[in-house]
Amino acid sequence: MSSGPRERPALETPGRPLAHTSGPRLLLAIVATLLGWIVVSVGLGVGLPRAGDGVAGTTLTLVPLVVGMTLVAIAGTLLFHAVRSWARLILAPWSLAVLVGLYCLSLALAAVYPPHASSDASLPADATRVEMISADGERLAGWYLPSHNGAAVVLRHGAGSTTADVMQHARVLNDAGYGVLATDARGHGESGGQAMDLGWYGELDTQAAVDLLADRRDVDAGRIGVVGLSMGAEEGIGAAGVDRRIRAVVAEGATGRTAADKAWLADEYGVLGLVQGVLDAGTYGLVDLLTPADPPPTLEASVHHSSPTAMLLIAAGDRPDEESVAVRLAALDPSRVQVWVVSGAGHVAALRTDPADWREHVIGFLDAALRVEPHR
């Protein structure tokens, strides 16, 4: 006896594509996506900056890229076969999420695990090698040019460079009578520790240098300043916000070291600025997860807490972002924060672009801020 037509299984019901989702394939697609995302990001963020370091650097770049992209391709294939019909539209947001994730994680890894910047440059003839220990126990190295006017500055280089890159600045400052303590940031040059190219250890490193200057017989502890370039500029602003011994800061090329520092982009560039803000939030959030360093205050907060320290913010004429940041920071306290925009200069190239003007602006500012008689 016929039992009548059989009912089709629910999994084949037309119009319900999500019911065709293959659980195991979907799970494998998720796992492959995560692994591929991480491995490709390692190749881009950790390997690529070291690609010029011979076979090891090339291997660290190419192997993760090949393996990671293979995993991502496998994940896409699995995802395509795990769903049916219109549910495959999920591939579009999945692809976007992978690209955004690669961008954010690659930049975060590049900032937290940069290659060690080395230097084989010789010291200035009249310089003395020095060492400092930061509050968290890292050994920091540098060299010192003695003061002839009782005042001194900590000279901080930018990310990926060393004290060898600020020798010209040191000579101009010392020729004007200032003691100059040029220090390698941790993980750079002769200093120990893990480098961090957003400068989140800058306050600790700079305070260790100020400690050394404050103990020197040729330096008046009440006449100490900081001159910083790029990352060093942001570190100098940050250090002034927590160390009252810093009486003057010259910061050239500061743009920001937290996502909040770049919130102004939304006002300046609208939707594009908002998109960049989302990417920055993801990047800096991952940085916070990857490094033991605490996120620093914003530059605005540091300027606010640095009162009454005088500041000279130098911006490159060819970098509108530097000028925008400098003008916004100066507006917080125009009575003590000055801005100098160097026409035709690139990033931290003011001294190279116009040596006489750099000397006039910087030395004149320091003389006034640190109560120094002009050097003859």
Side-chain angles (χ1 to χ4, degrees):
M1 180 182 293
S2 174
S3 58
R6 292 183 179 180
E7 293 185 4
R8 289 196 299 178
L11 288 179
E12 298 179 11
T13 303
R16 296 179 60 193
L18 286 179
H20 287 273
T21 299
S22 170
R25 282 180 176 172
L26 186 59
L27 180 60
L28 286 173
I30 293 172
V31 172
T33 297
L34 291 174
L35 289 176
W37 168 58
I38 293 172
V39 175
V40 172
S41 296
V42 168
L44 292 174
V46 180
L48 193 58
R50 295 168 172 80
D53 296 342
V55 176
T58 302
T59 301
L60 186 57
T61 304
L62 294 180
V63 171
L65 288 179
V66 172
V67 173
M69 291 174 67
T70 300
L71 286 169
V72 171
I74 291 172
T77 303
L78 288 170
L79 189 60
F80 180 83
H81 291 291
V83 295
R84 299 281 197 273
S85 188
W86 59 265
R88 287 174 175 166
L89 293 175
I90 196 175
L91 288 170
W94 171 83
S95 300
L96 179 61
V98 169
L99 290 175
V100 170
L102 288 175
Y103 174 89
C104 294
L105 184 56
S106 297
L107 289 182
L109 288 168
V112 176
Y113 302 109
H116 188 107
S118 60
S119 171
D120 56 2
S122 59
L123 293 183
D126 48 347
T128 303
R129 288 190 183 276
V130 295
E131 286 193 357
M132 300 139 278
I133 301 298
S134 67
D136 61 342
E138 289 296 347
R139 182 192 62 80
L140 307 173
W143 40 266
Y144 181 68
L145 294 169
S147 175
H148 303 291
N149 60 14
V153 297
V154 178
L155 181 56
R156 298 287 290 176
H157 60 77
S161 59
T162 69
T163 56
D165 298 285
V166 293
M167 284 191 180
Q168 185 180 4
H169 298 79
R171 182 51 61 196
V172 172
L173 292 163
N174 192 240
D175 285 347
Y178 287 90
V180 179
L181 176 54
T183 61
D184 285 323
R186 67 179 63 197
H188 293 68
E190 302 294 325
S191 290
Q194 173 60 48
M196 204 290 184
D197 277 359
L198 293 177
W200 286 15
Y201 291 108
E203 282 83 341
L204 290 172
D205 291 0
T206 304
Q207 284 181 296
V210 172
D211 289 341
L212 187 151
L213 286 179
D215 288 339
R216 288 195 60 87
R217 292 183 179 180
D218 60 325
V219 176
D220 179 343
R223 297 160 70 189
I224 295 174
V226 176
V227 177
L229 308 178
S230 193
M231 178 184 76
E234 294 151 8
E235 292 174 333
I237 294 171
V242 297
D243 193 332
R244 290 292 179 268
R245 297 173 299 173
I246 298 173
R247 303 300 175 87
V249 173
V250 176
E252 181 175 343
T255 53
R257 51 183 182 162
T258 70
D261 281 323
K262 301 180 180 180
W264 63 274
L265 291 171
D267 297 330
E268 193 84 14
Y269 299 105
V271 175
L272 291 177
L274 285 172
V275 171
Q276 185 61 52
V278 172
L279 296 175
D280 288 338
T283 300
Y284 288 102
L286 288 167
V287 168
D288 192 17
L289 292 175
L290 292 169
T291 179
D294 294 326
T298 63
L299 295 182
E300 286 193 4
S302 293
V303 169
H304 175 73
H305 291 296
S306 67
S307 183
T309 298
M311 291 190 177
L312 172 62
L313 308 179
I314 304 175
D318 291 348
R319 291 286 300 271
D321 58 330
E322 291 185 15
E323 181 176 357
S324 293
V325 169
V327 169
R328 289 171 184 273
L329 293 178
L332 299 174
D333 195 342
S335 65
R336 66 182 178 87
V337 183
Q338 306 173 31
V339 175
W340 174 36
V341 180
V342 186
S343 179
H347 184 55
V348 299
L351 178 59
R352 184 168 62 252
T353 302
D354 195 337
D357 223 13
W358 194 93
R359 188 186 190 287
E360 180 181 347
H361 275 85
V362 173
I363 302 303
F365 165 79
L366 290 173
D367 285 350
L370 299 178
R371 309 183 312 281
V372 171
E373 289 294 326
H375 187 72
R376 303 299 181 187

